[in-house]
Amino acid sequence: VEPNIKVLISYIGSFSDAAKAKELAMAQIDQGADVVFAVAGGAGLGVLDGAAEKNVYSIGVDGDQYEILKDDEPKMAEAIATSMQKNCDNTVYNCVSAALEGTLAYGTYEKLGLADGVVGAADNENFRAIFTEEQIAKIKEIESKVSSGEISVFTAIGADNDSIQALKDSVQ
């Protein structure tokens, strides 16, 4: 979408240290980050809090964090443009179904994504208030192209360290 986007990368070193996550998010915002996105479990709440405090959009993770936080933390929730959801219920259902059918391939892994309904961006009232209809249509178009395989998304599953580092280097 924007080839000149640069990505700041920080490591919290913990899935529970929300204070450190907030500190790192605020440091990234001070360096010019327009949006912050943490894949950090509970520590990510610090990132969402820091973004709200600095009036910068954030992206939640794992579940629809806007819906989860809107009643108890409305200021934090309003800063969440979307969340990258892991629809674990679909994954578990698919695994249990395959096990019951006797088709579960034990000892292997499977790469699943948008087309399989196990991940996706949250589409809620806040998402619709932040983005224009044109922007939402573009997001949905990109999701469709990823689902169909027209757009290929890099995955670290099975990738070597050099490939992962090359991707990081390409956006920093």
Side-chain angles (χ1 to χ4, degrees):
V1 174
E2 174 55 61
N4 295 321
I5 287 176
K6 296 298 176 199
V7 177
L8 301 170
I9 299 172
S10 301
Y11 294 96
I12 299 164
S14 164
F15 287 107
S16 60
D17 192 343
K20 185 173 182 181
K22 181 176 179 177
E23 178 185 324
L24 291 174
M26 293 177 90
Q28 287 185 346
I29 294 164
D30 289 344
Q31 292 175 60
D34 298 309
V35 177
V36 291
F37 175 40
V39 182
L45 292 173
V47 172
L48 302 178
D49 189 33
E53 191 172 310
K54 292 273 194 172
N55 294 312
V56 167
Y57 284 123
S58 60
I59 299 172
V61 72
D62 296 335
D64 186 342
Q65 290 192 292
Y66 168 78
E67 288 293 337
I68 293 167
L69 295 169
K70 71 179 182 181
D71 293 331
D72 296 330
E73 297 286 347
K75 181 172 172 28
M76 191 186 310
E78 286 174 14
I80 302 170
T82 189
S83 294
M84 301 315 321
Q85 301 180 106
K86 293 181 202 169
N87 300 321
C88 295
D89 55 339
N90 292 342
T91 303
V92 170
Y93 178 83
N94 293 343
C95 287
V96 170
S97 294
L100 291 173
E101 294 165 2
T103 60
L104 184 61
Y106 293 94
T108 65
Y109 67 86
E110 198 175 7
K111 295 179 188 178
L112 302 173
L114 280 171
D116 306 293
V118 298
V119 295
D123 182 345
N124 55 44
E125 66 190 0
N126 202 51
F127 171 82
R128 297 218 164 244
I130 292 169
F131 294 100
T132 66
E133 285 301 319
E134 183 179 320
Q135 291 168 325
I136 292 169
K138 184 67 174 176
I139 291 167
K140 299 300 180 185
E141 175 189 341
I142 292 168
E143 286 178 340
S144 177
K145 288 180 177 180
V146 169
S147 290
S148 72
E150 185 177 338
I151 295 176
S152 177
V153 177
F154 174 83
T155 177
I157 296 172
D160 60 43
N161 288 337
D162 290 340
S163 298
I164 294 169
Q165 189 60 50
L167 176 64
K168 288 181 187 178
D169 292 344
S170 75
V171 297
Q172 289 185 315

